Amino acid sequence: MTASRRTWLRGLAAAGAAALVSACDRIAGDPAVRAGLKGAEQLNQGLHRVLFDRRTLAREYPDSAISPDFPANGSISPGDPTYRALAAGGFADYRLIVDGLVERPLALDLAALRALPSRSQVTRHDCVEGWSAIARWTGARLAPVLDQAGLKPEARFLVFHCFDTLDPEAGEDGRYYESIDLVDALHAQTLLAYEMNGTPLSIAHGAPVRLRVERQLGYKHAKYISRIEAVADFSHISGGKGGFWEDRGYEWYAGI
Ligand SMILES: Nc1nc2c(c(=O)[nH]1)N[C@H]1C(S)=C(S)[C@@H](COP(=O)(O)O)O[C@H]1N2
Ligand SMILES: [Mo]
């Protein structure tokens, strides 16, 4: 190709681009078109927020809505020896481990957890089995805990390892676990809850610490948390699907 031909082609492309830009300007400059675009954009944004913004808060209720009888479900009295020993000691020796892809692994006792930024919220728990119940949950916000540990850039999920074995016949794979991504981990209502309705968590409801991840179904709310592991992916853990129930066919993202 000759130099003059190249110059000519460049000129043509520039002219084409200029024509396109001016056409767009003309269309966008039309007040009716502009109003329409803006309307569509606002509607789209509104819909998007409602449908897809995972940072939106779950509904919170007045204390008067608290359920007098909140069922306990799944494991309600873990028999695992480590857990039994901790429970016998009033969880004085309990340490919540935060490790994996973090700069500073943590081992928090209950006093340390209670000293962290906390939140209290009255929310509705929806179990996939078809019941719902409302309670006040109080606990450490997960985001500041992660700040303290310092997530490494490769961290994409948090895996919650639990003390209880829900399916003893499955051996180590019968242990309960769950996982969430960082959007839910950093959500304002995501708590490491240590109180339910103003009293320390009972064993049936997950003592000493359970997860509240209010935008998702009940099985995501891991009880009896022993360890939070930051990972890049969870395919190597247990059945590989990110949770005890997920390994048995439930959805990983159980949004409500
Ligand atoms: N460690 C652990 N966490 C768990 C479960 C479990 O069996 N073990 N069950 C899940 C299910 S299906 C539900 S509905 C809730 C029940 O919480 P609750 O006992 O406080 O009602 O805990 C979830 N978290
Ligand atoms: Mo559930």
Side-chain angles (χ1 to χ4, degrees):
M1 200 190 283
T2 63
S4 66
R5 191 168 149 77
R6 244 191 330 259
T7 312
W8 179 77
L9 275 174
R10 240 194 336 261
L12 192 68
L20 201 66
V21 167
S22 89
C24 287
D25 266 358
R26 247 191 341 267
I27 295 167
D30 182 317
V33 172
R34 245 216 316 257
L37 278 176
K38 212 160 161 41
E41 188 181 291
Q42 270 165 5
L43 178 68
N44 188 25
Q45 206 172 61
L47 266 177
H48 189 270
R49 283 193 85 83
V50 170
L51 295 176
F52 303 113
D53 192 340
R54 293 181 44 211
R55 290 167 303 180
T56 305
L57 295 187
R59 179 166 175 198
E60 294 189 13
Y61 297 78
D63 282 317
S64 58
I66 291 173
S67 308
D69 298 301
F70 194 117
N73 201 39
S75 297
I76 55 169
S77 181
D80 303 64
T82 312
Y83 183 80
R84 291 255 63 103
L86 289 170
F91 298 105
D93 293 331
Y94 172 78
R95 298 290 180 276
L96 172 65
I97 305 299
V98 182
D99 66 1
L101 297 172
V102 298
E103 305 288 353
R104 300 169 290 276
L106 309 175
L108 303 166
D109 63 16
L110 287 175
L113 208 59
R114 282 178 174 273
L116 284 165
S118 65
R119 192 174 200 277
S120 191
Q121 60 207 25
V122 179
T123 53
R124 195 185 68 203
H125 178 101
D126 296 315
C127 174
V128 74
E129 289 166 24
W131 57 269
S132 297
I134 294 175
R136 173 176 290 284
W137 302 99
T138 305
R141 289 195 50 226
L142 184 52
V145 174
L146 299 176
D147 268 350
Q148 195 172 326
L151 286 178
K152 291 187 177 173
E154 315 88 84
R156 291 190 55 212
F157 304 98
L158 299 180
V159 177
F160 297 83
H161 298 278
C162 305
F163 284 110
D164 59 312
T165 304
L166 190 52
D167 179 4
E169 279 164 31
E172 211 21 57
D173 286 348
R175 191 176 287 278
Y176 205 91
Y177 78 105
E178 257 304 338
S179 61
I180 60 174
D181 64 15
L182 298 186
V183 178
D184 270 327
L186 303 177
H187 188 279
Q189 291 168 317
T190 299
L191 307 181
L192 298 172
Y194 42 68
E195 280 181 14
M196 180 185 187
N197 297 333
T199 50
L201 269 188
S202 64
I203 287 183
H205 290 293
V209 177
R210 64 106 44 94
L211 180 64
R212 293 303 305 171
V213 50
E214 304 292 355
R215 305 291 311 278
Q216 295 204 55
L217 287 171
Y219 63 88
K220 300 297 292 186
H221 301 233
K223 306 196 281 189
Y224 319 111
I225 301 171
S226 62
R227 172 181 172 221
I228 303 173
E229 182 189 9
V231 297
D233 83 291
F234 45 71
S235 58
H236 60 289
I237 295 168
S238 204
K241 298 291 198 303
F244 176 91
W245 284 115
E246 288 85 331
D247 287 339
R248 289 154 182 82
Y250 286 18
E251 294 291 328
W252 177 75
Y253 188 76
I256 41 176

